Amino acid sequence: QVQLVESGGGLVKPGGSLRLSCAASGFTFSDYYMSWIRQAPGKGLEWVSYISSSSSYTNYADSVKGRFTISRDNAKNSLYLQMNSLRAEDTAVYYCAREVGSDLYFDYWGQGTLVTVSS
Amino acid sequence: QSVLTQPPSVSGAPGQRVTISCTGSSSNIGAGYDVHWYQQLPGTAPKLLIYGNSNRPSGVPDRFSGSKSGTSASLAITGLQAEDEADYYCQSYDSSLVGVFGGGTKLTVL
């Protein structure tokens, strides 16, 4: 069955960096777009970034553009999110999600990893 | 401020029908992008509920249905059950190819 398992979250100071990982299994990872979506405590969902199946295309929310970088390693069935210049408002649970590229929806989600930005 | 607008909360008694609206604009829903819905039970990750405006993934009861018209969409839940108490989110894409979500609607089963 499809499984997405995020890791790498934790407590980081403002201005710091963190790299999130998402390990995928149960499907042909290289066939799918993948996305990161976050949810601040007690708030709604916010799309963060996507990457195409071959890494040819990426896009970012304005709120993270220039600070976050999405990448993937199809040989390792893994998705990554490099987060730099972190701010308090980046505090959230970060979910990786499999995207159905043709129809632009997220059919499987991981359990999420919490990132807390605080001094 | 979310790009798609949903009511913050709705409620209904068991067995009743409730609807949740999702209003966008000409740059997202009105541009022809499909609307999708997710259910988030307390303390869990979101789960796909409706895709492509009105399609249910395998395993989703037919009590859940979706529709889209113009720049808006709606989710209907009939035969409300206690287990339906959750947060519901609509999602689409914007013409600049960024994903957009509604702010979420908390469903309370009275």
Side-chain angles (χ1 to χ4, degrees):
Chain A
Q1 73 281 20
V2 173
Q3 276 202 310
L4 299 169
V5 180
E6 301 93 337
S7 61
L11 176 63
V12 61
K13 289 182 168 53
S17 297
L18 212 54
R19 189 194 196 208
L20 305 184
S21 299
C22 172
S25 60
F27 66 102
T28 304
F29 182 69
S30 58
D31 283 349
Y32 287 86
Y33 279 47
M34 297 294 295
S35 285
W36 288 99
I37 297 153
R38 68 184 182 183
Q39 186 171 34
K43 302 296 184 183
L45 301 171
E46 180 188 15
W47 174 84
V48 173
S49 179
Y50 77 72
I51 186 167
S52 64
S53 53
S54 62
S55 303
S56 300
Y57 303 105
T58 61
N59 205 358
Y60 300 89
D62 286 344
S63 57
V64 307
K65 200 170 289 185
R67 300 187 299 123
F68 290 10
T69 302
I70 191 171
S71 63
R72 64 191 295 162
D73 185 336
N74 286 344
K76 294 183 177 179
N77 291 338
S78 293
L79 175 72
Y80 306 102
L81 186 68
Q82 178 67 43
M83 304 185 296
N84 298 330
S85 303
L86 283 162
R87 307 166 179 166
E89 53 265 35
D90 295 319
T91 294
V93 173
Y94 285 73
Y95 297 101
C96 71
R98 189 177 84 167
E99 182 167 349
V100 177
S102 56
D103 296 301
L104 306 175
Y105 62 89
F106 310 106
D107 61 349
Y108 287 94
W109 299 59
Q111 86 289 349
T113 187
L114 176 62
V115 172
T116 303
V117 184
S118 174
S119 54
Chain B
Q1 195 78 354
S2 300
V3 174
L4 305 180
T5 301
Q6 297 179 234
S9 63
V10 297
S11 63
Q16 282 190 332
R17 178 181 187 269
V18 296
T19 61
I20 299 172
S21 61
C22 174
T23 303
S25 69
S26 57
S27 67
N28 40 67
I29 298 175
Y33 291 100
D34 286 343
V35 178
H36 321 288
W37 293 89
Y38 303 87
Q39 177 192 59
Q40 186 174 34
L41 297 170
T44 69
K47 167 194 160 187
L48 179 66
L49 194 65
I50 296 286
Y51 67 94
N53 305 316
S54 59
N55 301 292
R56 284 185 309 277
S58 160
V60 172
D62 60 6
R63 302 185 296 104
F64 295 90
S65 63
S67 63
K68 172 191 164 184
S69 178
T71 59
S72 296
S74 64
L75 172 71
I77 310 172
T78 59
L80 209 53
Q81 299 180 4
E83 68 209 48
D84 298 333
E85 191 158 286
D87 294 325
Y88 293 84
Y89 294 90
C90 61
Q91 176 253 318
S92 185
Y93 255 78
D94 192 87
S95 53
S96 53
L97 289 183
V98 298
V100 290
F101 282 95
T105 298
K106 182 176 181 60
L107 169 62
T108 301
V109 180
L110 303 171

